[in-house]
Structure formats: C-alpha cells, structure tokens
Amino acid sequence: MVTTIGGPRVLLRQLRETMAEPLASQARLDKIVGLIADNMRADVCSFYVLRDDGALELFASKGLAAESVHMTTLRLGEGLVGLIAAEAEPLSLDDAPSHPAFAYRPETGEERYNAFLGVPVLRAGQTLGVLVVQNAERRHYGDDEIEAMLTTATILAEMIATSDFDNLIKPGSDIDLRRPRMFTGVSFTDGIALGTVVLHDPRVVVSNFIAEDTDAEKLRLETSLEKMRLSIDAMLEHGDMAGGSDHREILETYRMFANDRGWVHRLSEAIENGLSAEAAVERVQNDTRARMMRQTDPYIRDRLHDLDDLANRLLRVLTGDGHALARKALPDNAILVARNMGPAELLEYDRTKLRGIVLEEGGSTAHVAIVARSLGMVAVGQAQNIVSMCESGDDIILDGPAGIVHLRPTPDIEQAYVDKIKVTAKRRAHYAALKDKPSITKDGVQITLLHNSGLVADLPMLDDTGAAGVGLFRTELQFMIASKLPRLHEQQELYAEAMAIAGERPVVFRLLDIGGDKVLPYQRSMAEENPAMGFRSIRLGLERPGLLRTQVRALLLAADGRPLKILVPMVTETFEFTQTKMVVQKEVERLQRQGKAIPSRLELGVMVEVPSLLFELDQLLPEADFVSIGSNDLVQFLTASDRANPRVAKNYDPIGMPRLRAIRLVVDAAKRYNIPITMCGELAGKPLEALALMAVGMTRLSMGPASIGPIKELVLNVDLKPIQMSVGAALSDGADGVTIRQLLQEWIEKQNLPV
Ligand code: PEP
Ligand code: MG
C-alpha cells in the first residue's frame, strides 16, 4: 500500500505556507494541487469547482492535460466527479473507468488512471467543488487517505469562500456562495418586510484553521467538550426550559451526542490530521450539514440538526464567542432567522427593532407565530435549510402572504417589493378609511370585529383599526416577557393600563393559559410527553390556586368599579368552570369585605376549545355569561393533529364539514341560551374562513389587528343570507362532494367579494 509522504500534517503546513505566499490565485491553486499530489503520492490531483450554473469546472490539475483546465466541465451528477458533488460523499475506487458513472473526457487524458479518490469540498453544508487524486496503478485508498483528503478539502473550502478567486472566474460563471436565494415556506402572517438577517443562534466563524500543536489542540477540544457536557447537564438539572417543552428532548439529544464516541473520535481524528480544534468541529459539522440537506426522513433530519446545533455550541465554547450579544444590539429592521423558537424566546428581543421572523419549522397556529402576529411582525415558517444558507447582516425580504423569503435579493427583486409595499400602504390607507364605518353586511347583519391581543403595547392599535374592543387578551404573553413572575401590584397596573387604553371599548381578559408551548422562563416545569394535552391552563390554575387567585385579584382591583370580562381557557368539563367561578366569587367577597369597589358588571366567559365540551353545552352554557370558541385548539383536538405541526395540520381543513358543524353546534347553543358568542381563534382573521363563520351565524369575530381591515371590507360587501342558506343546507344535507371551501369560493366569485 502506498502511504502519504509526511502525512496530512506536513501537507497542511505546506498549504498554510502557500496561502501566505504572494501568488496569483491560479498559481496558488496550481501549487496546491501539486503539493497534494506529491503528499499523497498521486499521479494526478485535480480540483473541480461547482459553478453557479451547476457545472463542475476543472479549475486546477497536476497530471491531467494542461489544456483541459478551465475547459473540461461536468454537470452535477455526471461522471464520478458529478456524482461526488451531488451526493456530497467521498468515493474511492481501484478501477475507476469500469464504474458505470465514469464519464470519459478525451481532452484530459485520464483514461490511463485506474485508482480514483474524490471528496466533496463542503462549506456550510453546501458543495463548493470536488477534490480528486488518481493513480495509474490499481490501488486502494484507505480510510486514512480519505480522511486526509477531507481535511485538505476543508482548507480548500475556506480558501474558496474567503480568498481572491474572483479574478479567476470567468464572467457569467461565478461561483457565488452568497448568491441570491429564494425559499418557499408557509405564510404565518400578512405583510412584507425588508430587513437584515439576525441569526437567532449565530454560527461561529472559524478563522484559525491549521493546528500549531496537535496535542494542545486535542487538550482544548477535550476541555471544551467537558465544559459543554457540564453545561448541558446543568441545564437539564435546573429545568431551564425556556425554549419550550421540546427543549428538554433536544437537550437530552445533545447530551447523547456530546457523549457519543463516534463523534468525538471523528473530531480527534481531524485534529490528528493537522486541523485546529475549531476547524475539526467545522469539518465534522460540514459533513453533518451536507447529510442533513440530502435527508428526507424528518426524524433523521431533526437529529442531524441537533448535531449541527451541538457543534455550534462546542464552537462557541472553543472560541469563547458569547452569542447573547446579538440579542442586545439589533440592527433596525431586524429579521430573525431560526430553526425554531418558543414564544418566550421571541419576546426576549427588542420589539421596536424587529420587523420579521423566519423559521425552518413551526406551524401557523404555533404560539410563536401567534405572538409574531400580535406584535405586528411579518413571519414565514418552514423555510427549509435557511439557517445554514444565511449569515447575520444579509439582506432579506419576507413576503408574508406568499410565504416566500428572498435572501440576498437582487436589486430588481428588491425594487419589486418596494413597489409592492407602496401598494400595500395604499391598501392600508383604504382600510383606514373604513374604520369608522359601521360593520354591517349589505343585508343588515351587524358583525362585531375585535382584536386578539396580549401586550399592552398593542392596544393603541384599536384606534387605528376602529375595532369594537379586545375579544381576547392573552394575559400569559405579559408573563412570558417578564423576567420573573409578575407580582399582584404589577399585574394590577398592567390590567389597569390595558383598560385605560381601551377606554369604553371592552377587553376580554383571558386567565393565564400557560403550559403547552407557552412556558414561563422563570418557572420550573415537568417534562411532559404531550404538553398540549398536559398540565396547562386552567388545569394548572385550579391545582395551583395561588397563581389563579392572584391574577383574579389583580383583575378585580384593576377594574376599580368598572365592568370586567374574564374568560376561562381550556375548560374540559363544566366543573372546572364552576370552580373557577367560585374562586372569582371569593375574591369579589374579599374585596367587598375590604370595602373596595367591585366591578359594576362582572362577566365570566368560557372558552370552547376542548371537544368534550361540545357534548355538555346544555350543562355548561347556563353557567356562563358569554362563550368564546378557540378554533386553534378546538381544531387541533378534533382532528388529533398538532397545531404546530403542519405536516398533519395541513391535511384537515379547519372549515371542513365536521369542524364547521362543531362550530355551528356551539353557535346555535349560545343563541338558545341567549349569550354572546365570539370566535377568537386564528380562523376569524382569514377572509374565506371568516365568511364560513358568518355563514353559520357567528357575528362576533376576534382577530389579529392586521386582519380587521380586510375582514371589514368583506363584511361591508357581503350579502350574507343566501350564503347562510347555502352553507346551512350543505352542512345539514351534504353537498355532493363539494367542500365548504369550494362552495364559499363560488359565492365569493358570484358576489365579487374582496377576498
Ligand atoms: C385557540 O386555541 O384558538 C385560542 C384562541 O387560544 P390560543 O391560541 O392562545 O391557544
Ligand atoms: Mg387555545
């Protein structure tokens, strides 16, 4: 077996010296391939670069015919080199010409060479090119040689990304890592945002690639690994679950990987070959990213993502890079890019600077999306692999309604969006002009439009939209942005401020709906298998009455004699509602004993969002002063599909017959008991869906402030009666395979509605 001369460490030293020499780019590359060939005792060493047009161009070669350099190209997937680039996997063959993928290029003269070893040149999970060595004799390249080539490729990748290759590249065939990219994800909100990328979890940039002292680097790696393991253990022990309930599972996976011998071994091996500890992590991470991008199995992709995150964590320990800084100093028009995050993490950022958020995961009714909406941000989800493709500081455009993200947009795309924003501004002006018009359909049905809100800071928007009040104030959001549990007087001030801003307009305060994906960063929580169906919301409130009592007391004090509306979330059986009523009643009596003002009118409403309530409306509704449907949870539980997981949630139309029948059932019951009913789930803010709700008799709709304009316009233009008849008949008698959505679509066209 042929061995390398001096091993990879010698080669890396030589490469470093070459990089420091004052050579022109091509001369430097020629020298590099020469060095690699000599070091590997290869007859040929060639370097192919993947161009922007998808072709792999022979950029430098020692051994192949000189005329073929910059002449020979292969398509991605074509020939052995194309195969390596496409698969992002090394390929070692002792008889290359007999491989079915071998593509003969006469100008290169490579038919003489039998043994072949090619490795992908990867950076940030992207293939930049392919590095190949060949020998005339039939021989087998061993694992050590593959490893040495991969290590060399890491250095080459860095050179391509950071050096002066531009003057080598022919016009029109740029290799541009930082080219514009478009991602098609899922719409979380309306609106368009132009801004600057801020990575929620920024990648660490490695600058020191080659090890001066291998033993010292190994020691650094070991110390950093140990430090990282300890910090993961500490996070698990202290129940620091700020990122939501999935956080624990992720940390457990991290711990598993951090102790994984294979991973640690690969890291040590890369150092052994001459890389610095940081570069070794980067190398292994590059492989992981490349595998991640090819992976279609979501479970495996998630695990690879975890490994990628872990590598970044390790890099941070190694480089001492504290990423908390990024959260403090946001640029104007910041657009957060993250794999995923919980609502609490989003709320940690300076909201005055944030314009938007892009996630690789998440569903549109996940709470992080709801929070983004309530903050008036533009949000797009499921932009696959965007995190590894962008860097903080990149330009970015979010097209909310289309669910599209343009990363590093070209000037014409940017201009198109600037124009679009002008049109949107016009539309906003048009909606603003509607705000004082009574919200009544053409055939005289009054539709009350309300805000969903959760932060006192959102409430002044009531003046801009002309909404009749707040149909849902998610009190937990204020708890989530606090650094510690708000005390009684703090809560009281907050609710009083909310009421003061709303003035005469009513505000429905929903009792704390924490748990599920709404975790308070300062509160310990137990890991649960199914947190959405776990110990959350009023279940928690009734078992931990201190929290509930304090909130009720704060609300009563804040009302200070004015009317007050309280809404109870996640009620599953009537007794939970009546128990909550008793807690409220006791607090009222306490207030009276103290001689303090009690609300002039106190109304207690129930949320219908757990399906079992559908079957005891006759027991529940006589107890309630009003009712509110939470379609986000109701649909999630009716269809047994996680609202934050679009893979399942997208399969069931929320206004499909069974769901709309359930909603109609509640509307009809509320009418029978003569109590007001409001829809406060995300359905109410979407025009076609809102039409479905009005068609089943819902006349109070609560939604994100940005939806009020479009829904008002719909209300003003619709003739409701015929649609109610038609939808009613379809729900009762079936509609011969026509869906409610299709039926409404027809009506929208017939009445020329602005949807
Ligand atoms: C709902 O479930 O529809 C709802 C309004 O509550 P949340 O989205 O806060 O769970
Ligand atoms: Mg809910």
Side-chain angles (χ1 to χ4, degrees):
M1 184 174 151
V2 188
T3 51
T4 55
I5 299 175
R9 265 191 267 160
V10 173
L11 176 60
L12 289 197
R13 203 190 61 230
Q14 290 169 333
L15 287 179
R16 184 172 51 191
E17 285 162 9
T18 312
M19 275 147 77
E21 277 179 55
L23 290 172
S25 313
Q26 184 70 49
R28 195 192 318 277
L29 261 192
D30 290 344
K31 186 159 181 194
I32 288 173
V33 289
L35 286 171
I36 299 172
D38 290 347
N39 185 274
M40 305 276 300
R41 289 181 187 270
D43 299 324
V44 173
C45 174
S46 311
F47 179 38
Y48 295 81
V49 168
L50 181 61
R51 296 193 318 219
D52 208 16
D53 61 2
L56 286 149
E57 176 176 324
L58 179 60
F59 247 65
S61 180
K62 151 97 189 287
L64 294 187
E67 316 79 81
S68 60
V69 173
H70 295 301
M71 288 303 297
T72 291
T73 56
L74 290 148
R75 288 190 312 281
L76 206 59
E78 184 192 22
L80 301 175
V81 169
L83 188 67
I84 293 163
E87 301 281 315
E89 295 273 10
L91 182 64
S92 168
L93 301 165
D94 54 8
D95 181 16
S98 68
H99 190 281
F102 184 78
Y104 178 48
R105 288 284 190 271
E107 71 275 11
T108 61
E110 71 179 320
E111 66 280 12
R112 286 179 285 130
Y113 303 107
N114 287 301
F116 174 103
L117 167 62
V119 296
V121 176
L122 301 170
R123 190 168 187 269
Q126 300 188 76
T127 303
L128 304 188
V130 175
L131 181 66
V132 174
V133 287
Q134 289 169 287
N135 281 81
E137 62 172 324
R138 286 195 186 186
R139 53 153 299 198
H140 180 71
Y141 297 99
D143 287 347
D144 285 354
E145 284 153 306
I146 296 176
E147 188 57 36
M149 281 281 278
L150 282 168
T151 302
T152 313
T154 305
I155 302 289
L156 271 180
E158 207 46 38
M159 281 180 63
I160 296 181
T162 57
S163 77
D164 52 351
F165 271 111
D166 291 3
N167 53 13
L168 264 188
I169 295 160
K170 286 176 276 175
S173 61
D174 305 28
I175 42 153
D176 188 3
L177 266 181
R178 320 228 344 106
R179 60 181 170 257
R181 285 182 185 272
M182 189 181 104
F183 299 81
T184 306
V186 165
S187 167
F188 279 1
T189 63
D190 273 346
I192 290 166
L194 278 74
T196 307
V197 170
V198 172
L199 278 170
H200 176 56
D201 205 3
R203 265 196 313 283
V204 181
V205 179
V206 176
S207 49
N208 160 33
F209 262 78
I210 297 173
E212 300 283 345
D213 174 348
T214 306
D215 290 337
E217 291 301 310
K218 275 191 152 173
L219 191 65
R220 283 183 64 225
L221 175 71
E222 270 160 35
T223 322
S224 302
L225 269 171
E226 196 47 37
K227 211 164 155 183
M228 186 181 72
R229 286 184 193 124
L230 287 175
S231 82
I232 296 173
D233 287 349
M235 279 189 278
L236 276 165
E237 261 164 43
H238 296 138
D240 170 17
M241 299 296 139
S245 51
D246 289 346
H247 202 58
R248 169 169 281 275
E249 198 189 320
I250 292 174
L251 283 176
E252 302 267 12
T253 316
Y254 283 176
R255 176 150 71 180
M256 186 186 84
F257 281 133
N259 290 299
D260 179 86
R261 288 230 203 106
W263 187 60
V264 176
H265 176 74
R266 279 191 291 148
L267 291 172
S268 321
E269 201 172 40
I271 294 181
E272 202 70 65
N273 280 332
L275 291 181
S276 67
E278 294 91 321
V281 178
E282 177 92 11
R283 229 232 59 204
V284 175
Q285 198 176 2
N286 271 334
D287 293 353
T288 312
R289 288 221 185 94
R291 274 190 283 153
M292 198 155 76
M293 302 217 174
R294 293 194 313 273
Q295 198 47 253
T296 48
D297 180 329
Y299 180 78
I300 297 180
R301 203 171 50 215
D302 272 357
R303 298 289 77 76
L304 288 169
H305 259 307
D306 292 342
L307 193 49
D308 193 36
D309 287 350
L310 184 72
N312 220 12
R313 216 170 254 259
L314 181 55
L315 275 180
R316 257 191 224 114
V317 180
L318 275 165
T319 56
D321 175 344
H323 80 304
L325 286 177
R327 295 194 192 185
K328 297 214 178 85
L330 284 182
D332 286 337
N333 294 325
I335 293 187
L336 271 185
V337 179
R339 183 180 154 199
N340 206 352
M341 68 169 83
E345 287 175 286
L346 176 58
L347 290 168
E348 275 174 25
Y349 285 93
D350 173 358
R351 295 190 298 284
T352 61
K353 298 270 175 82
L354 268 190
R355 292 280 297 121
I357 171 174
V358 185
L359 300 179
E360 289 192 354
E361 299 172 3
S364 67
T365 57
H367 281 113
V368 62
I370 289 174
V371 170
R373 264 196 292 281
S374 86
L375 295 176
M377 285 165 43
V378 180
V380 172
Q382 294 170 64
Q384 281 198 10
N385 295 324
I386 190 165
V387 171
S388 62
M389 302 272 188
C390 67
E391 284 174 22
S392 289
D394 280 348
D395 287 338
I396 187 166
I397 296 176
L398 307 190
D399 183 337
I404 285 177
V405 181
H406 293 277
L407 183 61
R408 299 179 289 267
T410 55
D412 48 331
I413 293 216
E414 192 166 329
Q415 189 53 48
Y417 275 98
V418 169
D419 293 345
K420 216 168 170 174
I421 285 181
K422 282 189 195 140
V423 176
T424 320
K426 269 196 199 145
R427 198 166 334 130
R428 262 211 303 274
H430 167 68
Y431 293 144
L434 303 180
K435 79 173 177 150
D436 295 324
K437 288 200 174 175
S439 176
I440 298 178
T441 65
K442 270 166 111 176
D443 51 345
V445 183
Q446 166 141 18
I447 306 289
T448 306
L449 304 181
L450 302 151
H451 278 198
N452 282 351
S453 180
L455 295 171
V456 171
D458 308 342
L459 293 176
M461 271 192 281
L462 282 170
D463 293 333
D464 306 330
T465 63
V470 177
L472 172 67
F473 189 89
R474 293 179 161 102
T475 57
E476 63 277 4
L477 295 195
Q478 287 286 167
F479 279 66
M480 285 157 68
I481 56 173
S483 52
K484 55 184 179 24
L485 196 71
R487 303 165 79 95
L488 174 70
H489 73 275
E490 288 164 327
Q491 289 189 46
Q492 181 188 340
E493 277 167 24
L494 214 112
Y495 304 140
E497 198 186 341
M499 290 181 217
I501 298 173
E504 291 301 302
R505 294 162 292 203
V507 178
V508 174
F509 289 95
R510 180 173 72 179
L511 296 176
L512 278 181
D513 185 14
I514 45 179
D517 64 347
K518 290 185 278 197
V519 180
L520 304 184
Y522 39 83
Q523 206 181 37
R524 272 166 184 259
S525 57
M526 297 271 286
E528 292 182 289
E529 280 284 320
N530 288 302
M533 298 194 281
F535 185 53
R536 58 174 279 206
S537 200
I538 199 62
R539 300 172 182 178
L540 192 145
L542 289 171
E543 258 187 63
R544 300 232 181 102
L547 202 61
L548 177 62
R549 266 202 307 263
T550 308
Q551 187 178 31
V552 171
R553 197 171 298 171
L555 283 165
L556 291 169
L557 287 167
D560 194 21
R562 286 172 293 189
L564 177 66
K565 289 176 195 283
I566 294 177
L567 180 61
V568 189
M570 275 297 281
V571 172
T572 311
E573 294 214 17
T574 305
F575 78 86
E576 289 163 325
F577 185 65
T578 48
Q579 275 185 10
T580 311
K581 265 174 88 168
M582 281 183 325
V583 172
V584 176
Q585 187 51 37
K586 274 199 179 147
E587 287 304 317
V588 171
E589 285 161 15
R590 187 171 181 274
L591 218 63
Q592 279 172 320
R593 279 201 304 277
Q594 293 174 344
K596 293 191 177 142
I598 58 162
S600 54
R601 182 180 157 90
L602 175 59
E603 290 169 275
L604 219 63
V606 62
M607 278 194 85
V608 174
E609 53 182 346
V610 179
S612 86
L613 283 188
L614 297 174
F615 306 98
E616 61 171 10
L617 291 169
D618 290 323
Q619 289 70 43
L620 176 74
L621 296 194
E623 298 287 339
D625 298 310
F626 63 97
V627 55
S628 198
I629 300 186
S631 60
N632 305 333
D633 277 317
L634 185 63
V635 170
Q636 137 165 292
F637 295 128
L638 276 173
T639 57
S641 58
D642 181 350
R643 62 194 264 183
N645 180 352
R647 292 184 83 215
V648 288
K650 74 173 183 339
N651 296 341
Y652 312 104
D653 188 344
I655 54 160
M657 300 251 187
R659 271 75 67 193
L660 201 54
R661 282 190 192 115
I663 292 170
R664 184 174 67 167
L665 195 75
V666 191
V667 174
D668 291 348
K671 280 192 184 144
R672 271 202 316 281
Y673 289 97
N674 199 22
I675 56 173
I677 176 161
T678 306
M679 166 58 81
C680 67
E682 301 307 301
L683 280 187
K686 298 180 181 166
L688 190 142
E689 285 78 352
L691 193 56
L693 298 172
M694 292 187 263
V696 294
M698 183 82 82
T699 57
R700 297 173 57 84
L701 303 173
S702 191
M703 62 199 80
S707 297
I708 298 278
I711 302 292
K712 177 98 167 249
E713 167 136 76
L714 169 68
V715 168
L716 296 177
N717 284 287
V718 72
D719 197 3
L720 208 49
K721 292 271 151 40
I723 303 180
Q724 286 181 332
M725 304 269 281
S726 151
V727 170
L731 288 179
S732 300
D733 310 326
D736 290 334
V738 178
T739 65
I740 295 290
R741 192 169 286 279
Q742 288 162 337
L743 193 73
L744 289 172
Q745 198 59 50
E746 277 172 29
W747 276 107
I748 286 166
E749 279 156 32
K750 213 168 183 174
Q751 294 195 6
N752 196 18
L753 296 176
V755 171

